[in-house]
């Protein structure tokens, strides 16, 4: 399985559903974007990449198209 990783930056609200069931935002700042198998993309953030969430491709594309997620490479 090929995994493609990109450096990126969150510039505006990108929501996700936390383990507690609450809607939260990925913090503004640097992140890594990894394409997983199927229709999911993993976003990792934090000083050591300790936080992450897998989101559907459509949500990531919408965030990219609106400028809330900027791919850096």
């Amino acid at each position: 399985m090929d995994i493609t990783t990109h450096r990126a930056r969150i510039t505006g609200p990108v929501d996700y559903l936390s383990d507690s069931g609450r809607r939260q935002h990925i913090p503004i700042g640097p992140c890594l974007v990894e394409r997983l198998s199927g229709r999911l993309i993993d976003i990792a953030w934090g000083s050591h990449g300790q936080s992450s969430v897998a989101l559907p491709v459509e949500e990531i594309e919408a965030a990219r198209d609106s400028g809330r997620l900027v791919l850096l490479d």
Side-chain angles (χ1 to χ4, degrees):
M1 167 172 91
D2 282 335
I3 296 178
T4 304
T5 303
H6 296 282
R7 292 180 314 113
R9 183 164 198 76
I10 300 293
T11 61
V14 177
D15 292 344
Y16 69 96
L17 194 59
S18 71
D19 291 337
S20 67
R22 294 180 42 218
R23 289 273 261 178
Q24 296 190 343
H25 297 299
I26 297 172
I28 291 176
C31 63
L32 294 176
V33 177
E34 289 185 340
R35 178 84 183 236
L36 304 175
S37 61
R39 305 283 305 159
L40 293 177
I41 293 179
D42 190 52
I43 306 288
W45 68 92
S47 58
H48 301 288
Q50 68 270 25
S51 300
S52 68
V53 65
L55 296 172
V57 170
E58 297 80 14
E59 288 184 36
I60 298 302
E61 289 174 345
R64 182 197 62 208
D65 293 346
S66 69
R68 294 174 287 142
L69 171 70
V70 178
L71 296 177
L72 301 174
D73 59 6

